[in-house]
Amino acid sequence: MIQHMNLVFQAEGLSVGEGAFLLACCNHTDAKGYVIASMQQLADESHMKMTAAKSNKQRLIQRGLLASSERYSPKNGARIADLYRVNLDLLATMKRARTDYGPTLIEELTFNVPKKTPRSAPRSDSDPSPRSDSAPPPSDSDPPRSDSDGDAGSDSDPLLLPSPSPSSLSLVAADADDRMDVSPDGEREIEAPLEEHNPHPSEAELPLQREGSRKNAAGGGRIVAAYAEALGRPVLNGTKAKLDRQAVELLAQGLPEAWLCDRAREMAARGWSDLVRHAEMSTAPVTQTTTKSRRSGLPEWCTKCGPGSPAARLNPRFRTLGEMGSGEKCPNCHPDRVAAGASR
């Protein structure tokens, strides 16, 4: 037991060998000091040869600090580990007197105890001193008060709770980081946000939108395939979804599919993945390969709304007087306005 080993450390009058052997015995003692361990085990734990261990054991037995008894197996009479007992009472009387060993530290370590300021007495109604309201309110940049500050538990301290919603600025920054790509040469391309369109299209627009959406989705897949072919390896799922979404958006704006495929191949060669940004920055001429065809039920485009976007020729959503895809419907070529004028 560790308590018995501590008695050996505090005992006085033991030789080095006696102390080491006694420590090995106390490593296996029970509450009454009995030890069951073989002689070889005690010699190994006391770092002695067998002859030295037996010699120190005999000296401890002669001094009355140790008692031993041979043990034999009741089954076959074979010799087994001896039984030892440490004289704990005698060992406790050998405790050396308390000794001052002097300073052991280079410098003393101290602790600063915070000073507590007494609470102010409550104001009475008869107190003639007026309360000063000229003190400036605490600034938002002031650090919060800790419990160690004076009068930390005052009832007048403001209770500042954390806001349950994140800052709007952090949301804007996080959204910008999600839409940003970095090219190998350090060019940063920010994905253009998707434009908001009218969530409730008219009945005249629905068949045209469905037909245009199917064609744009097929064209977007071919643009992504051109990007993967130029890249020379499969496109990651996140990049693939992003390119497909941007390709459909650009096709809906009237940009030719072949022209967008060429831009996608250029991006793959440079390690970019923002098709919208690259299409805006590209100086390659746009060659319209599709022929003008009037859709069934869609009036001819007046070329004055959109404003001026070739997407308005095929998509009535862009036939507005404001910015692209927003504002008042064009009275000259928007299906709803034209149909309403004809009904009158």
Side-chain angles (χ1 to χ4, degrees):
M1 296 179 65
I2 187 65
Q3 296 87 346
H4 300 163
M5 297 177 69
N6 192 33
L7 292 177
V8 179
F9 287 126
Q10 297 177 359
E12 140 177 270
L14 294 175
S15 65
V16 176
E18 293 172 349
F21 189 84
L22 203 55
L23 280 174
C25 293
C26 291
N27 190 34
H28 302 279
T29 52
D30 60 6
K32 295 183 178 181
Y34 284 98
V35 181
I36 298 178
S38 66
M39 191 62 191
Q40 185 62 54
Q41 183 179 3
L42 295 176
D44 292 340
E45 293 182 0
S46 59
H47 300 280
M48 299 179 186
K49 293 183 178 181
M50 183 60 68
T51 55
K54 290 181 178 181
S55 176
N56 285 284
K57 182 188 73 170
Q58 291 300 327
R59 284 198 293 270
L60 290 172
I61 292 175
Q62 293 174 1
R63 297 184 59 177
L65 290 171
L66 188 67
S68 66
S69 175
E70 296 180 354
R71 299 172 66 238
Y72 299 90
S73 173
K75 293 182 180 181
N76 53 13
R79 180 75 180 271
I80 57 178
D82 292 349
L83 177 64
Y84 301 96
R85 185 179 183 184
V86 179
N87 192 343
L88 300 177
D89 296 335
L90 179 59
L91 188 60
T93 61
M94 299 174 60
K95 183 177 180 180
R96 71 174 63 89
R98 185 178 182 84
T99 304
D100 184 7
Y101 296 101
T104 58
L105 298 177
I106 298 177
E107 61 177 317
E108 185 179 1
L109 299 179
T110 59
F111 300 94
N112 295 327
V113 180
K115 296 181 180 179
K116 295 184 178 179
T117 58
R119 293 179 178 270
S120 58
R123 292 174 55 88
S124 62
D125 296 338
S126 61
D127 190 356
S129 59
R131 181 176 180 180
S132 176
D133 295 331
S134 60
S139 173
D140 294 338
S141 60
D142 293 339
R145 299 181 61 182
S146 62
D147 295 338
S148 61
D149 295 341
D151 197 16
S154 176
D155 295 338
S156 62
D157 292 343
L159 179 60
L160 301 179
L161 298 177
S163 174
S165 60
S167 173
S168 59
L169 295 179
S170 62
L171 291 177
V172 174
D175 184 66
D177 292 339
D178 292 340
R179 295 185 289 103
M180 183 171 292
D181 293 329
V182 181
S183 62
D185 55 356
E187 179 180 352
R188 302 177 71 87
E189 297 186 355
I190 302 179
E191 177 186 350
L194 295 177
E195 297 181 359
E196 296 292 337
H197 301 298
N198 182 17
H200 304 289
S202 62
E203 295 182 0
E205 295 178 359
L206 287 176
L208 298 176
Q209 289 186 7
R210 293 193 188 101
E211 182 180 357
S213 299
R214 286 194 297 267
K215 291 188 176 182
N216 293 338
R222 288 189 289 268
I223 294 172
V224 175
Y227 180 86
E229 181 182 359
L231 190 63
R233 58 176 173 81
V235 185
L236 298 179
N237 291 335
T239 305
K240 182 178 180 180
K242 173 183 173 182
L243 286 175
D244 186 71
R245 185 184 71 249
Q246 292 182 342
V248 172
E249 178 189 358
L250 294 174
L251 288 172
Q253 296 181 12
L255 292 175
E257 178 184 329
W259 186 85
L260 291 174
C261 287
D262 293 338
R263 305 291 79 78
R265 296 185 185 98
E266 292 175 356
M267 288 199 311
R270 300 175 184 177
W272 300 343
S273 61
D274 194 331
L275 184 59
V276 172
R277 181 66 173 170
H278 186 60
E280 291 177 352
M281 301 298 294
S282 177
T283 58
V286 179
T287 304
Q288 184 62 260
T289 57
T290 59
T291 59
K292 294 184 179 180
S293 62
R294 181 167 179 171
R295 301 295 182 90
S296 175
L298 182 64
E300 188 69 25
W301 180 38
C302 68
T303 70
K304 296 180 181 179
C305 58
S309 173
R313 181 176 56 84
L314 302 176
N315 195 335
R317 290 184 302 172
F318 296 96
R319 297 188 180 186
T320 57
L321 300 181
E323 295 182 357
M324 186 179 301
S326 63
E328 183 183 358
K329 297 178 181 180
C330 179
N332 299 323
C333 61
H334 195 280
D336 291 348
R337 299 296 296 271
V338 174
S343 62
R344 294 177 184 176

